[in-house]
CSV table of all heavy atoms in Angstrom, one decimal:
chain,number,residue,atom,x,y,z
A,1,MET,N,46.8,54.7,19.6
A,1,MET,CA,46.6,53.2,19.2
A,1,MET,C,46.0,53.1,17.9
A,1,MET,O,45.0,53.8,17.6
A,1,MET,CB,45.7,52.6,20.3
A,1,MET,CG,45.6,51.1,20.1
A,1,MET,SD,44.5,50.4,21.4
A,1,MET,CE,44.3,48.8,20.8
A,2,ILE,N,46.6,52.3,17.0
A,2,ILE,CA,46.0,52.2,15.7
A,2,ILE,C,45.1,51.0,15.6
A,2,ILE,O,45.5,49.9,16.0
A,2,ILE,CB,47.2,52.1,14.6
A,2,ILE,CG1,47.9,53.5,14.6
A,2,ILE,CG2,46.6,51.7,13.2
A,2,ILE,CD1,49.0,53.5,13.6
A,3,MET,N,43.9,51.2,15.1
A,3,MET,CA,43.0,50.1,15.0
A,3,MET,C,42.9,49.8,13.5
A,3,MET,O,43.0,50.7,12.6
A,3,MET,CB,41.6,50.5,15.5
A,3,MET,CG,41.6,51.1,16.8
A,3,MET,SD,41.5,49.9,18.1
A,3,MET,CE,39.8,49.4,18.0
A,4,VAL,N,42.6,48.6,13.1
A,4,VAL,CA,42.5,48.2,11.7
A,4,VAL,C,41.2,47.5,11.5
A,4,VAL,O,40.8,46.6,12.2
A,4,VAL,CB,43.7,47.2,11.3
A,4,VAL,CG1,43.6,46.8,9.9
A,4,VAL,CG2,45.0,47.9,11.6
A,5,GLU,N,40.5,48.0,10.5
A,5,GLU,CA,39.3,47.3,10.1
A,5,GLU,C,39.5,46.7,8.7
A,5,GLU,O,40.0,47.4,7.8
A,5,GLU,CB,38.1,48.3,9.9
A,5,GLU,CG,37.5,48.7,11.3
A,5,GLU,CD,36.5,49.8,11.1
A,5,GLU,OE1,35.8,49.8,10.0
A,5,GLU,OE2,36.4,50.7,11.9
A,6,ILE,N,39.2,45.5,8.5
A,6,ILE,CA,39.3,44.8,7.2
A,6,ILE,C,38.0,44.4,6.8
A,6,ILE,O,37.3,43.6,7.4
A,6,ILE,CB,40.3,43.6,7.4
A,6,ILE,CG1,41.6,44.0,7.9
A,6,ILE,CG2,40.5,42.9,6.0
A,6,ILE,CD1,42.6,42.9,8.2
A,7,ALA,N,37.6,44.9,5.6
A,7,ALA,CA,36.3,44.5,5.0
A,7,ALA,C,36.5,43.5,3.9
A,7,ALA,O,37.3,43.8,3.0
A,7,ALA,CB,35.6,45.7,4.5
A,8,LEU,N,35.9,42.4,3.9
A,8,LEU,CA,36.0,41.4,2.8
A,8,LEU,C,34.6,41.3,2.1
A,8,LEU,O,33.6,41.0,2.8
A,8,LEU,CB,36.4,40.1,3.4
A,8,LEU,CG,36.8,39.0,2.5
A,8,LEU,CD1,37.6,37.9,3.2
A,8,LEU,CD2,35.7,38.3,1.7
A,9,ASP,N,34.6,41.7,0.9
A,9,ASP,CA,33.3,41.7,0.1
A,9,ASP,C,33.1,40.3,-0.4
A,9,ASP,O,33.7,39.8,-1.4
A,9,ASP,CB,33.5,42.7,-1.0
A,9,ASP,CG,32.2,42.9,-1.8
A,9,ASP,OD1,31.3,42.0,-1.7
A,9,ASP,OD2,32.1,43.9,-2.6
A,10,HIS,N,32.1,39.6,0.3
A,10,HIS,CA,31.9,38.2,-0.1
A,10,HIS,C,31.3,38.1,-1.5
A,10,HIS,O,31.3,37.0,-2.1
A,10,HIS,CB,31.0,37.6,1.0
A,10,HIS,CG,31.8,37.3,2.2
A,10,HIS,ND1,32.6,36.2,2.4
A,10,HIS,CD2,31.9,38.0,3.4
A,10,HIS,CE1,33.1,36.2,3.6
A,10,HIS,NE2,32.7,37.3,4.2
A,11,ALA,N,30.7,39.2,-2.0
A,11,ALA,CA,30.2,39.1,-3.4
A,11,ALA,C,31.3,39.0,-4.4
A,11,ALA,O,31.1,38.5,-5.5
A,11,ALA,CB,29.3,40.3,-3.6
A,12,LYS,N,32.4,39.6,-4.1
A,12,LYS,CA,33.6,39.6,-5.0
A,12,LYS,C,34.5,38.4,-4.7
A,12,LYS,O,35.2,37.9,-5.6
A,12,LYS,CB,34.4,40.9,-4.9
A,12,LYS,CG,33.7,42.1,-5.4
A,12,LYS,CD,34.6,43.3,-5.3
A,12,LYS,CE,34.0,44.6,-5.8
A,12,LYS,NZ,34.8,45.7,-5.5
A,13,CYS,N,34.6,38.0,-3.5
A,13,CYS,CA,35.6,37.0,-3.0
A,13,CYS,C,35.3,35.6,-3.7
A,13,CYS,O,34.1,35.2,-3.7
A,13,CYS,CB,35.6,36.9,-1.5
A,13,CYS,SG,36.7,35.6,-0.9
A,14,LYS,N,36.3,35.0,-4.1
A,14,LYS,CA,36.2,33.6,-4.7
A,14,LYS,C,36.2,32.5,-3.6
A,14,LYS,O,36.1,31.3,-4.0
A,14,LYS,CB,37.3,33.4,-5.7
A,14,LYS,CG,37.2,34.3,-6.9
A,14,LYS,CD,38.3,34.0,-7.8
A,14,LYS,CE,38.2,34.7,-9.2
A,14,LYS,NZ,39.4,34.3,-10.0
A,15,GLY,N,36.4,32.9,-2.4
A,15,GLY,CA,36.4,31.9,-1.3
A,15,GLY,C,37.5,31.0,-1.3
A,15,GLY,O,38.6,31.3,-1.8
A,16,LYS,N,37.2,29.8,-0.8
A,16,LYS,CA,38.3,28.8,-0.6
A,16,LYS,C,39.0,28.4,-1.9
A,16,LYS,O,40.2,28.1,-1.8
A,16,LYS,CB,37.6,27.5,0.0
A,16,LYS,CG,38.6,26.5,0.5
A,16,LYS,CD,37.8,25.3,0.9
A,16,LYS,CE,38.7,24.1,1.3
A,16,LYS,NZ,37.9,22.9,1.6
A,17,GLU,N,38.4,28.5,-3.0
A,17,GLU,CA,39.1,28.1,-4.3
A,17,GLU,C,40.2,29.1,-4.6
A,17,GLU,O,41.1,28.7,-5.4
A,17,GLU,CB,38.1,28.0,-5.4
A,17,GLU,CG,37.5,29.3,-5.9
A,17,GLU,CD,36.6,29.1,-7.1
A,17,GLU,OE1,35.5,28.6,-7.0
A,17,GLU,OE2,37.0,29.4,-8.2
A,18,CYS,N,40.1,30.3,-4.0
A,18,CYS,CA,41.2,31.2,-4.2
A,18,CYS,C,42.1,31.1,-2.9
A,18,CYS,O,43.1,30.5,-2.9
A,18,CYS,CB,40.7,32.7,-4.3
A,18,CYS,SG,42.0,33.9,-4.2
A,19,GLY,N,41.7,31.7,-1.8
A,19,GLY,CA,42.4,31.6,-0.6
A,19,GLY,C,43.8,32.3,-0.5
A,19,GLY,O,44.5,32.0,0.4
A,20,ILE,N,44.1,33.1,-1.5
A,20,ILE,CA,45.4,33.7,-1.5
A,20,ILE,C,45.7,34.5,-0.3
A,20,ILE,O,46.8,34.5,0.3
A,20,ILE,CB,45.6,34.6,-2.8
A,20,ILE,CG1,45.6,33.7,-4.1
A,20,ILE,CG2,46.9,35.4,-2.8
A,20,ILE,CD1,45.6,34.4,-5.4
A,21,CYS,N,44.7,35.3,0.1
A,21,CYS,CA,45.0,36.2,1.3
A,21,CYS,C,45.3,35.4,2.5
A,21,CYS,O,46.2,35.7,3.3
A,21,CYS,CB,43.8,37.1,1.5
A,21,CYS,SG,42.2,36.2,1.7
A,22,ALA,N,44.6,34.3,2.7
A,22,ALA,CA,44.8,33.4,3.9
A,22,ALA,C,46.2,32.8,3.8
A,22,ALA,O,46.9,32.6,4.8
A,22,ALA,CB,43.7,32.3,3.9
A,23,TYR,N,46.6,32.5,2.6
A,23,TYR,CA,47.9,31.9,2.4
A,23,TYR,C,49.1,32.9,2.6
A,23,TYR,O,50.1,32.6,3.2
A,23,TYR,CB,48.0,31.3,1.0
A,23,TYR,CG,49.3,30.7,0.6
A,23,TYR,CD1,49.8,29.5,1.2
A,23,TYR,CD2,50.2,31.4,-0.3
A,23,TYR,CE1,51.0,29.0,0.8
A,23,TYR,CE2,51.4,30.9,-0.6
A,23,TYR,CZ,51.8,29.7,0.0
A,23,TYR,OH,53.1,29.2,-0.4
A,24,ILE,N,48.8,34.1,2.1
A,24,ILE,CA,49.9,35.1,2.1
A,24,ILE,C,50.1,35.9,3.4
A,24,ILE,O,51.1,36.4,3.7
A,24,ILE,CB,49.7,36.0,0.8
A,24,ILE,CG1,51.0,36.5,0.3
A,24,ILE,CG2,48.8,37.2,1.1
A,24,ILE,CD1,51.0,37.1,-1.1
A,25,CYS,N,49.0,36.0,4.1
A,25,CYS,CA,49.1,36.9,5.3
A,25,CYS,C,50.1,36.4,6.3
A,25,CYS,O,49.9,35.3,6.8
A,25,CYS,CB,47.7,37.1,5.9
A,25,CYS,SG,47.7,38.0,7.4
A,26,PRO,N,51.0,37.2,6.7
A,26,PRO,CA,52.1,36.7,7.6
A,26,PRO,C,51.6,36.6,9.1
A,26,PRO,O,52.3,35.9,9.9
A,26,PRO,CB,53.2,37.8,7.5
A,26,PRO,CG,52.4,39.0,7.1
A,26,PRO,CD,51.3,38.6,6.2
A,27,THR,N,50.4,37.1,9.4
A,27,THR,CA,50.0,37.1,10.8
A,27,THR,C,48.7,36.3,10.9
A,27,THR,O,48.0,36.5,11.9
A,27,THR,CB,49.9,38.5,11.4
A,27,THR,OG1,49.0,39.3,10.5
A,27,THR,CG2,51.2,39.2,11.5
A,28,ASN,N,48.3,35.6,9.9
A,28,ASN,CA,47.1,34.7,9.9
A,28,ASN,C,45.8,35.5,10.3
A,28,ASN,O,45.1,35.0,11.2
A,28,ASN,CB,47.3,33.6,10.9
A,28,ASN,CG,48.4,32.6,10.4
A,28,ASN,OD1,48.4,32.3,9.2
A,28,ASN,ND2,49.2,32.1,11.3
A,29,VAL,N,45.6,36.6,9.7
A,29,VAL,CA,44.4,37.4,9.9
A,29,VAL,C,43.2,36.6,9.4
A,29,VAL,O,42.1,36.7,10.0
A,29,VAL,CB,44.5,38.8,9.3
A,29,VAL,CG1,43.2,39.5,9.2
A,29,VAL,CG2,45.5,39.6,10.1
A,30,PHE,N,43.4,35.9,8.3
A,30,PHE,CA,42.2,35.3,7.7
A,30,PHE,C,42.1,33.8,8.1
A,30,PHE,O,43.1,33.2,8.5
A,30,PHE,CB,42.4,35.3,6.1
A,30,PHE,CG,42.5,36.7,5.6
A,30,PHE,CD1,43.8,37.3,5.4
A,30,PHE,CD2,41.4,37.5,5.4
A,30,PHE,CE1,43.9,38.6,5.0
A,30,PHE,CE2,41.5,38.8,4.9
A,30,PHE,CZ,42.8,39.3,4.7
A,31,ALA,N,40.9,33.3,8.0
A,31,ALA,CA,40.6,31.9,8.2
A,31,ALA,C,39.7,31.3,7.1
A,31,ALA,O,38.9,32.1,6.6
A,31,ALA,CB,40.0,31.7,9.6
A,32,ILE,N,40.0,30.1,6.8
A,32,ILE,CA,39.1,29.4,5.8
A,32,ILE,C,38.1,28.5,6.6
A,32,ILE,O,38.6,27.6,7.3
A,32,ILE,CB,39.9,28.6,4.8
A,32,ILE,CG1,40.8,29.6,4.0
A,32,ILE,CG2,39.0,27.8,3.9
A,32,ILE,CD1,41.7,28.9,3.0
A,33,LYS,N,36.8,28.8,6.4
A,33,LYS,CA,35.8,28.0,7.1
A,33,LYS,C,34.9,27.5,6.0
A,33,LYS,O,34.2,28.3,5.3
A,33,LYS,CB,35.1,28.8,8.1
A,33,LYS,CG,34.1,28.0,8.9
A,33,LYS,CD,33.7,28.7,10.2
A,33,LYS,CE,32.8,27.9,11.1
A,33,LYS,NZ,31.5,27.8,10.6
A,34,ASP,N,34.7,26.2,5.9
A,34,ASP,CA,33.9,25.6,4.8
A,34,ASP,C,34.4,26.1,3.5
A,34,ASP,O,35.6,26.0,3.3
A,34,ASP,CB,32.4,25.8,5.1
A,34,ASP,CG,32.0,25.2,6.4
A,34,ASP,OD1,32.5,24.2,6.8
A,34,ASP,OD2,31.1,25.9,7.1
A,35,SER,N,33.6,26.8,2.7
A,35,SER,CA,34.1,27.3,1.4
A,35,SER,C,34.4,28.8,1.5
A,35,SER,O,34.8,29.4,0.5
A,35,SER,CB,33.1,27.0,0.3
A,35,SER,OG,31.9,27.6,0.6
A,36,GLU,N,34.2,29.4,2.6
A,36,GLU,CA,34.4,30.8,2.7
A,36,GLU,C,35.7,31.2,3.4
A,36,GLU,O,36.3,30.5,4.2
A,36,GLU,CB,33.3,31.4,3.6
A,36,GLU,CG,32.0,31.7,2.9
A,36,GLU,CD,31.1,32.6,3.7
A,36,GLU,OE1,31.0,32.5,4.9
A,36,GLU,OE2,30.4,33.4,3.0
A,37,VAL,N,36.2,32.4,3.0
A,37,VAL,CA,37.3,33.0,3.7
A,37,VAL,C,36.8,34.1,4.6
A,37,VAL,O,36.0,34.9,4.2
A,37,VAL,CB,38.3,33.6,2.7
A,37,VAL,CG1,39.4,34.4,3.4
A,37,VAL,CG2,38.9,32.4,1.8
A,38,LEU,N,37.2,34.1,5.8
A,38,LEU,CA,36.7,35.0,6.8
A,38,LEU,C,37.9,35.9,7.4
A,38,LEU,O,39.0,35.4,7.5
A,38,LEU,CB,36.1,34.2,8.0
A,38,LEU,CG,35.0,33.2,7.7
A,38,LEU,CD1,34.7,32.4,8.9
A,38,LEU,CD2,33.8,33.9,7.1
A,39,VAL,N,37.5,37.1,7.8
A,39,VAL,CA,38.5,37.9,8.5
A,39,VAL,C,38.3,37.6,10.0
A,39,VAL,O,37.4,38.0,10.7
A,39,VAL,CB,38.1,39.4,8.3
A,39,VAL,CG1,39.2,40.3,9.0
A,39,VAL,CG2,38.1,39.8,6.8
A,40,ASN,N,39.3,36.8,10.4
A,40,ASN,CA,39.2,36.1,11.7
A,40,ASN,C,39.8,36.9,12.8
A,40,ASN,O,39.3,37.1,13.9
A,40,ASN,CB,39.8,34.7,11.6
A,40,ASN,CG,39.3,33.8,12.7
A,40,ASN,OD1,38.1,33.9,13.0
A,40,ASN,ND2,40.1,33.0,13.2
A,41,SER,N,41.0,37.5,12.6
A,41,SER,CA,41.8,38.2,13.6
A,41,SER,C,42.4,39.5,13.1
A,41,SER,O,43.6,39.6,13.0
A,41,SER,CB,42.9,37.3,14.1
A,41,SER,OG,42.5,35.9,14.3
A,42,PRO,N,41.5,40.5,12.8
A,42,PRO,CA,42.0,41.7,12.2
A,42,PRO,C,43.0,42.4,13.2
A,42,PRO,O,43.8,43.2,12.7
A,42,PRO,CB,40.8,42.6,12.0
A,42,PRO,CG,39.7,41.9,12.9
A,42,PRO,CD,40.1,40.5,13.0
A,43,GLN,N,42.9,42.1,14.5
A,43,GLN,CA,43.8,42.8,15.4
A,43,GLN,C,45.3,42.4,15.2
A,43,GLN,O,46.2,43.1,15.7
A,43,GLN,CB,43.4,42.5,16.9
A,43,GLN,CG,43.6,41.1,17.3
A,43,GLN,CD,42.5,40.1,17.0
A,43,GLN,OE1,41.7,40.3,16.1
A,43,GLN,NE2,42.3,39.1,17.8
A,44,TYR,N,45.5,41.4,14.5
A,44,TYR,CA,46.9,41.0,14.2
A,44,TYR,C,47.5,41.6,12.9
A,44,TYR,O,48.7,41.3,12.6
A,44,TYR,CB,47.0,39.4,14.1
A,44,TYR,CG,46.7,38.7,15.4
A,44,TYR,CD1,45.9,37.5,15.4
A,44,TYR,CD2,47.1,39.2,16.6
A,44,TYR,CE1,45.6,36.9,16.5
A,44,TYR,CE2,46.7,38.6,17.8
A,44,TYR,CZ,46.0,37.4,17.8
A,44,TYR,OH,45.7,36.8,18.9
A,45,CYS,N,46.7,42.3,12.2
A,45,CYS,CA,47.1,42.9,10.9
A,45,CYS,C,48.3,43.9,11.2
A,45,CYS,O,48.2,44.7,12.1
A,45,CYS,CB,46.0,43.6,10.3
A,45,CYS,SG,46.5,44.5,8.8
A,46,LYS,N,49.4,43.7,10.4
A,46,LYS,CA,50.5,44.7,10.6
A,46,LYS,C,50.6,45.6,9.3
A,46,LYS,O,51.7,46.2,9.1
A,46,LYS,CB,51.8,43.9,10.8
A,46,LYS,CG,52.2,42.9,9.8
A,46,LYS,CD,53.5,42.3,10.1
A,46,LYS,CE,54.1,41.6,8.9
A,46,LYS,NZ,55.5,41.3,9.0
A,47,LEU,N,49.5,45.7,8.6
A,47,LEU,CA,49.4,46.7,7.5
A,47,LEU,C,50.5,46.5,6.5
A,47,LEU,O,51.1,47.5,6.0
A,47,LEU,CB,49.4,48.1,8.1
A,47,LEU,CG,48.2,48.4,8.9
A,47,LEU,CD1,48.3,49.7,9.7
A,47,LEU,CD2,46.9,48.5,8.1
A,48,CYS,N,50.8,45.3,6.1
A,48,CYS,CA,51.8,45.1,5.0
A,48,CYS,C,51.2,45.2,3.6
A,48,CYS,O,51.9,45.4,2.7
A,48,CYS,CB,52.4,43.7,5.2
A,48,CYS,SG,51.3,42.3,4.8
A,49,TYR,N,49.8,45.1,3.6
A,49,TYR,CA,49.1,45.3,2.3
A,49,TYR,C,49.3,44.2,1.3
A,49,TYR,O,49.0,44.4,0.1
A,49,TYR,CB,49.3,46.7,1.7
A,49,TYR,CG,48.8,47.8,2.7
A,49,TYR,CD1,49.7,48.6,3.3
A,49,TYR,CD2,47.4,47.9,2.9
A,49,TYR,CE1,49.2,49.6,4.2
A,49,TYR,CE2,47.0,48.9,3.8
A,49,TYR,CZ,47.9,49.7,4.4
A,49,TYR,OH,47.4,50.7,5.3
A,50,GLU,N,50.0,43.1,1.7
A,50,GLU,CA,50.2,42.0,0.7
A,50,GLU,C,48.8,41.5,0.2
A,50,GLU,O,48.7,41.1,-0.9
A,50,GLU,CB,50.9,40.9,1.4
A,50,GLU,CG,52.4,41.2,1.8
A,50,GLU,CD,53.3,41.0,0.5
A,50,GLU,OE1,52.9,40.3,-0.4
A,50,GLU,OE2,54.3,41.7,0.5
A,51,CYS,N,47.9,41.4,1.1
A,51,CYS,CA,46.6,40.8,0.7
A,51,CYS,C,45.9,41.7,-0.3
A,51,CYS,O,45.3,41.2,-1.3
A,51,CYS,CB,45.7,40.5,1.9
A,51,CYS,SG,45.4,42.0,2.9
A,52,LEU,N,45.9,43.0,-0.1
A,52,LEU,CA,45.3,43.9,-1.0
A,52,LEU,C,46.0,43.8,-2.4
A,52,LEU,O,45.3,43.8,-3.4
A,52,LEU,CB,45.4,45.4,-0.6
A,52,LEU,CG,44.6,45.9,0.6
A,52,LEU,CD1,44.7,47.4,0.6
A,52,LEU,CD2,43.2,45.5,0.5
A,53,GLU,N,47.3,43.7,-2.4
A,53,GLU,CA,48.0,43.7,-3.7
A,53,GLU,C,47.8,42.4,-4.4
A,53,GLU,O,47.9,42.4,-5.6
A,53,GLU,CB,49.5,44.0,-3.4
A,53,GLU,CG,49.8,45.4,-3.0
A,53,GLU,CD,51.1,45.7,-2.4
A,53,GLU,OE1,52.0,44.8,-2.5
A,53,GLU,OE2,51.3,46.7,-1.8
A,54,THR,N,47.5,41.3,-3.7
A,54,THR,CA,47.5,40.1,-4.4
A,54,THR,C,46.0,39.6,-4.7
A,54,THR,O,45.8,38.7,-5.5
A,54,THR,CB,48.2,39.0,-3.7
A,54,THR,OG1,47.8,39.0,-2.3
A,54,THR,CG2,49.7,39.2,-3.7
A,55,CYS,N,45.1,40.1,-4.0
A,55,CYS,CA,43.7,39.7,-4.2
A,55,CYS,C,43.3,39.9,-5.7
A,55,CYS,O,43.3,41.0,-6.2
A,55,CYS,CB,42.7,40.4,-3.3
A,55,CYS,SG,41.0,40.0,-3.6
A,56,PRO,N,42.9,38.9,-6.4
A,56,PRO,CA,42.6,39.0,-7.8
A,56,PRO,C,41.3,39.7,-8.1
A,56,PRO,O,41.0,40.1,-9.3
A,56,PRO,CB,42.6,37.6,-8.3
A,56,PRO,CG,42.2,36.7,-7.1
A,56,PRO,CD,42.8,37.5,-5.9
A,57,THR,N,40.4,39.9,-7.1
A,57,THR,CA,39.1,40.5,-7.4
A,57,THR,C,38.9,41.8,-6.6
A,57,THR,O,37.7,42.3,-6.6
A,57,THR,CB,38.0,39.4,-7.0
A,57,THR,OG1,38.1,39.2,-5.6
A,57,THR,CG2,38.1,38.2,-7.8
A,58,ALA,N,39.9,42.3,-6.0
A,58,ALA,CA,39.8,43.5,-5.2
A,58,ALA,C,38.6,43.5,-4.2
A,58,ALA,O,37.8,44.4,-4.1
A,58,ALA,CB,39.6,44.7,-6.2
A,59,ALA,N,38.6,42.3,-3.5
A,59,ALA,CA,37.5,42.1,-2.6
A,59,ALA,C,37.8,42.7,-1.2
A,59,ALA,O,36.9,42.7,-0.3
A,59,ALA,CB,37.2,40.6,-2.4
A,60,LEU,N,39.1,43.1,-1.0
A,60,LEU,CA,39.5,43.5,0.4
A,60,LEU,C,39.6,45.0,0.5
A,60,LEU,O,40.1,45.7,-0.5
A,60,LEU,CB,40.8,42.9,0.7
A,60,LEU,CG,40.7,41.4,0.9
A,60,LEU,CD1,42.1,40.8,0.9
A,60,LEU,CD2,40.0,41.0,2.2
A,61,LYS,N,39.2,45.6,1.6
A,61,LYS,CA,39.5,47.0,1.9
A,61,LYS,C,40.0,47.0,3.3
A,61,LYS,O,39.5,46.3,4.2
A,61,LYS,CB,38.2,47.8,1.8
A,61,LYS,CG,37.8,48.1,0.4
A,61,LYS,CD,36.8,49.3,0.4
A,61,LYS,CE,36.5,49.7,-1.0
A,61,LYS,NZ,35.6,48.7,-1.6
A,62,ILE,N,41.1,47.8,3.5
A,62,ILE,CA,41.6,48.0,4.9
A,62,ILE,C,41.5,49.4,5.3
A,62,ILE,O,41.9,50.3,4.6
A,62,ILE,CB,43.1,47.5,4.9
A,62,ILE,CG1,43.2,46.0,4.6
A,62,ILE,CG2,43.7,47.8,6.3
A,62,ILE,CD1,44.6,45.4,4.7
A,63,LYS,N,41.0,49.6,6.5
A,63,LYS,CA,40.8,51.0,7.0
A,63,LYS,C,41.6,51.1,8.3
A,63,LYS,O,41.4,50.2,9.2
A,63,LYS,CB,39.3,51.3,7.2
A,63,LYS,CG,39.0,52.7,7.4
A,63,LYS,CD,37.5,52.9,7.4
A,63,LYS,CE,37.0,53.8,8.5
A,63,LYS,NZ,35.6,53.7,8.8
A,64,LYS,N,42.4,52.1,8.4
A,64,LYS,CA,43.2,52.3,9.6
A,64,LYS,C,42.5,53.5,10.3
A,64,LYS,O,42.3,54.5,9.8
A,64,LYS,CB,44.6,52.7,9.1
A,64,LYS,CG,45.6,52.6,10.1
A,64,LYS,CD,47.0,52.7,9.5
A,64,LYS,CE,47.3,54.0,8.9
A,64,LYS,NZ,48.7,54.2,8.4
A,65,THR,N,42.3,53.3,11.6
A,65,THR,CA,41.7,54.4,12.4
A,65,THR,C,42.5,54.6,13.6
A,65,THR,O,43.1,53.6,14.2
A,65,THR,CB,40.2,54.0,12.8
A,65,THR,OG1,40.2,52.8,13.4
A,65,THR,CG2,39.3,54.0,11.6
A,66,GLU,N,42.6,55.8,14.1
A,66,GLU,CA,43.3,56.1,15.3
A,66,GLU,C,42.3,55.9,16.4
A,66,GLU,O,41.3,56.7,16.6
A,66,GLU,CB,43.8,57.5,15.3
A,66,GLU,CG,44.8,57.8,14.2
A,66,GLU,CD,46.2,57.3,14.5
A,66,GLU,OE1,46.5,57.2,15.7
A,66,GLU,OE2,47.0,57.1,13.6
A,67,GLY,N,42.6,55.0,17.3
A,67,GLY,CA,41.7,54.8,18.4
A,67,GLY,C,42.2,55.6,19.6
A,67,GLY,O,43.4,55.9,19.7
A,68,ASN,N,41.4,56.0,20.5
A,68,ASN,CA,41.8,56.7,21.7
A,68,ASN,C,42.0,55.7,22.9
A,68,ASN,O,41.2,54.9,23.1
A,68,ASN,CB,40.8,57.8,22.1
A,68,ASN,CG,40.8,58.9,21.1
A,68,ASN,OD1,41.8,59.3,20.5
A,68,ASN,ND2,39.6,59.4,20.9
A,69,CYS,N,43.2,55.8,23.5
A,69,CYS,CA,43.4,55.0,24.7
A,69,CYS,C,42.6,55.6,25.8
A,69,CYS,O,42.6,56.8,26.0
A,69,CYS,CB,44.9,55.0,25.1
A,69,CYS,SG,45.8,54.1,23.9
A,70,VAL,N,41.8,54.8,26.5
A,70,VAL,CA,41.0,55.3,27.6
A,70,VAL,C,41.6,54.8,28.9
A,70,VAL,O,42.1,53.7,29.0
A,70,VAL,CB,39.6,54.7,27.5
A,70,VAL,CG1,38.7,55.3,28.6
A,70,VAL,CG2,39.0,55.1,26.2
B,101,LIG,S1,42.5,36.9,-2.1
B,101,LIG,FE1,40.6,38.0,-2.5
B,101,LIG,S2,39.4,36.6,-3.7
B,101,LIG,FE2,41.0,35.4,-2.8
B,101,LIG,S3,40.2,34.6,-0.9
B,101,LIG,FE3,41.2,36.5,-0.4
B,101,LIG,S4,39.6,38.1,-0.5
B,101,LIG,FE4,38.8,36.3,-1.6
B,102,LIG,S1,47.7,43.8,5.3
B,102,LIG,FE1,49.2,42.1,5.6
B,102,LIG,S2,49.0,41.6,7.8
B,102,LIG,FE2,47.2,42.8,7.2
B,102,LIG,S3,45.6,41.3,6.7
B,102,LIG,FE3,46.7,41.9,4.8
B,102,LIG,S4,48.4,40.4,4.5
B,102,LIG,FE4,47.6,40.3,6.6
């Protein structure tokens, strides 16, 4: 089972005034709350990397880990 961790660096992120990742993500992983962009549903990420490629401040990191089914 593949697990995905998405790290959003709030020091780099421009928040709601950007919001590109939230707009572009096909599976609605991100949410906009007040002026911040949050990683709301990383379990829906399908590793298309659109958000990484379009983020203007390189605020996102995606880590793929192999989880063990128990
Ligand atoms: S695309 Fe980057 S800078 Fe823009 S809201 Fe998303 S993480 Fe923040
Ligand atoms: S890699 Fe694709 S599916 Fe995953 S969070 Fe980014 S835009 Fe969404």
